[in-house]
Structures are given as structure tokens and as C-alpha cells.
Amino acid sequence: MAGAAGAPAARPSLSSISSGELRSLWTCDCELALLPLAQLLRLQPGAFQLRADQLVVPGPAGPAAARGGFNVFGDGLVRFDGQLYHLSSYMRRYVELTNYCDYKDYRETILSKPMLFFINVQTEKDTSKERTYAFLVNTRHPKIRRQIEQGMDAVISSVIGESYRLEFDFQETVKNFFPPGNKVVNGENLSFAYEFKADALFDFFYWFGLSNSTVKVNGKVLNLSSTSPEKKETIKLFLEKMSEPLIRRSSFSDRKFSVTSRGSIDEVFNCNLSPRSSLTEPLLAELPFPCVLESEEIPNQFI
């Protein structure tokens, strides 16, 4: 969605998605998205709040309505408007797992909500200023979910009973989204990884770094930046719908993940991919079949 439209000096020259195009989309049509952190704070005050030197994200102990939300990945600090803020209730970008239960909980957790990463971008005209963006990953979109699940399945099938490290990287996709002259200064923040440490006596491949894998996740990026009040309201509803508690028929914990996890895609991503035929259809419309609404709990060891 990169474009060549004119923009202020401190802002990348990007063409925002049109109101009509946004309204014609289901949230499940959105694979990836970018919007300024300042705009996210204004549109989602219940999910993100600035308090003194903290960027507060409600944790699993918060109100039930907030348990949908986003899985925020980071290292504990966010630079915004030239000031450093401490993140609360975030997921570490790197974790160590030692058994199947940890692995299953981690897998369930990262796929239960949309992911969110913070990045800073410099423009060619004014490299002294940085604009902070929120990068959203819709884990309920089949293309995105499939890349993550297949990456996890593939590494398991290639290392049996051995330790390994798997990283998911969005850097290339995001950097290609911005027009030339704009620089993502903290691209390493656009990745997360886990390391599974098996109790193996001789783990030669792991010792020599031969069992490290990286999945470069790709997808279409929507630019949700806007100065139009009407479009901002549409984007607000769009984000609220995307971050609703997971609607599903059965629990992840009730089944094991097979090498081909198509069943989990069909059960979690259960909405129509076709655009709505009318702009009058409500953005927060119910799905057409009865299902159980289950809020997600994030295991403490990953926060």
C-alpha cells in the first residue's frame, strides 16, 4: 500500500487506505497493518494508556472486555516523542521453552490475539526526528496464521528430540512498505523467537548453531494512518473488531497440533473472506453461526 502522495516532512509519504476500501473489508481480510502510535493511543484508550513514564497495556487480570486486545511484543521500552516509556504486560521477544506444555501454551498464546510491535521511522528530509508506529499482525488471517504454524511444524519435523531456535521476522515486509528515503531505525523489534531446549545428551546440531531457523513472514500491509475524523472512527471500530476476544468452537488445549494444522486454521479463522456488499452493514456484525466466546489468558512465564 505504499504510495507517492505528498505529506509533511516528518511523516513518511504513504497513501492511507480509503474509507470506502476500509469499510468494505472484514477485519479478517487484513493481514498486516501500520498506524502511528499517537493515533493508536487516541483510538484505543482502553487498550493503551500513557501514565507518567509508562505505556500501560492491560494484562490478563484486567476487565473481561480488555482480555481480547493485542499480544504486545517488546523488550520493555518504547521511544515515543523523544521520550522513553516502560512497557507493561508485554511478551518478551525471546523466550526459552523446556517441555511440551510450555511449547503448547506459547503457541496458543501467540496465536490467540493480533500481535503488535513498536518501530521508529526516520525520514530523509529530517533524520533528527523519529515517528513511532504500531505494526499489527493479524494472526487470525489464514495466510499469516499458516506461515507461523507451518514454520513451527516444519522445525519440529526436522529436529526430533533435539534443541532448536526458531525466529519469525517481519523486517523485510515492513521496510519494503515504506517509500525510499524512510529508514526503520529499530528493525530488530520486528521479530520474535523462541528456543526449545531438549534434554538431549549429545545436541551437536544445536551446539554448532545448525538447528537455528528463521521464517520471514510476508503479507499485504494496510496503512491505517488518517487525519479524517470519519475515517478515524471507522479505523477505531476496525481495531476493536480485530482485537475482540477469540471466537472459536473448541479450545486449543483440547487437541494436539499436527504437522498440518489446517484444522486450527479452519476453526479459529471462521469468517467470510468476501467483502461486505453494502457499506451499511455494521462493522461489528456477528458471525453467521453460533459459537462460544472465550477470552484468552496469557501464561505468566511469557510476560
Side-chain angles (χ1 to χ4, degrees), residues 19-303:
S19 298
E21 186 180 2
L22 182 62
R23 285 184 175 181
S24 67
L25 291 174
W26 289 91
T27 53
C28 55
D29 285 327
C30 173
E31 300 172 14
L32 309 166
L34 267 167
L35 76 163
L37 176 55
Q39 181 176 318
L40 180 67
L41 292 172
R42 289 192 295 267
L43 298 182
Q44 299 283 284
F48 303 94
Q49 299 175 4
L50 287 181
R51 299 177 186 172
D53 65 343
Q54 282 198 327
L55 175 54
V56 179
V57 181
R67 292 182 186 173
F70 301 87
N71 280 328
V72 178
F73 286 80
D75 296 320
L77 293 173
V78 177
R79 181 176 293 279
F80 176 55
D81 282 347
Q83 181 177 341
L84 279 178
Y85 290 88
H86 295 273
L87 265 177
S88 70
S89 301
Y90 65 96
M91 293 188 65
R92 297 194 302 269
R93 292 195 306 106
Y94 169 78
V95 298
E96 291 185 1
L97 311 175
T98 57
N99 55 61
Y100 173 73
C101 289
D102 286 350
Y103 167 81
K104 185 178 70 171
D105 287 343
Y106 181 74
R107 179 166 178 154
E108 175 180 350
T109 298
I110 64 173
L111 292 173
S112 65
K113 304 176 185 179
M115 299 178 184
L116 189 146
F117 303 81
F118 297 109
I119 60 169
N120 294 82
V121 179
Q122 290 178 343
T123 62
E124 188 177 31
K125 293 182 179 179
D126 190 353
T127 57
S128 64
K129 294 183 179 180
E130 295 180 1
R131 188 172 178 87
T132 306
Y133 282 85
F135 175 63
L136 306 178
V137 179
N138 187 6
T139 54
R140 299 175 194 178
H141 191 284
K143 177 180 177 179
I144 301 301
R145 189 179 189 87
R146 190 175 295 118
Q147 291 179 74
I148 295 174
E149 287 188 324
Q150 289 183 350
M152 299 179 84
D153 292 337
V155 72
I156 289 177
S157 63
S158 63
V159 291
I160 302 176
E162 301 173 1
S163 302
Y164 64 89
R165 184 182 188 276
L166 179 61
E167 179 181 41
F168 292 93
D169 193 347
F170 301 91
Q171 289 191 63
E172 186 174 341
T173 297
V174 174
K175 289 179 179 179
N176 290 339
F177 171 77
F178 286 99
N182 297 290
K183 178 183 178 182
V184 179
V185 297
N186 52 351
E188 67 278 0
N189 286 0
L190 291 167
S191 66
F192 68 96
Y194 71 93
E195 195 164 341
F196 189 91
K197 293 192 173 181
D199 188 15
L201 184 59
F202 298 105
D203 218 344
F204 297 110
F205 288 98
Y206 174 75
W207 294 343
F208 292 103
L210 301 178
S211 56
N212 297 341
S213 302
T214 299
V215 175
K216 294 185 179 296
V217 184
N218 60 78
K220 178 182 178 181
V221 182
L222 295 182
N223 178 19
L224 299 182
S225 305
S226 177
T227 56
S228 164
E230 179 185 1
K231 192 188 295 186
K232 284 181 179 180
E233 184 62 25
T234 305
I235 294 173
K236 176 182 178 181
L237 297 177
F238 191 80
L239 293 173
E240 288 175 354
K241 181 64 179 177
M242 178 187 290
S243 60
E244 280 182 347
L246 181 62
I247 299 177
R248 61 189 183 185
R249 293 175 178 174
S250 62
S251 173
F252 274 107
S253 59
D254 294 335
R255 66 178 182 273
K256 290 185 178 180
F257 292 93
S258 61
V259 173
T260 55
S261 301
R262 189 171 183 81
S264 61
I265 294 174
D266 296 336
E267 291 182 35
V268 177
F269 179 78
N270 46 27
C271 55
N272 192 346
L273 274 176
S274 60
R276 287 200 297 274
S277 58
S278 171
L279 298 184
T280 61
E281 294 184 47
L283 192 64
L284 305 181
E286 295 292 334
L287 297 183
F289 49 77
C291 46
V292 179
L293 187 67
E294 298 181 14
S295 61
E296 298 297 320
E297 298 284 342
I298 299 180
N300 292 332
Q301 63 265 36
F302 302 130
I303 297 179

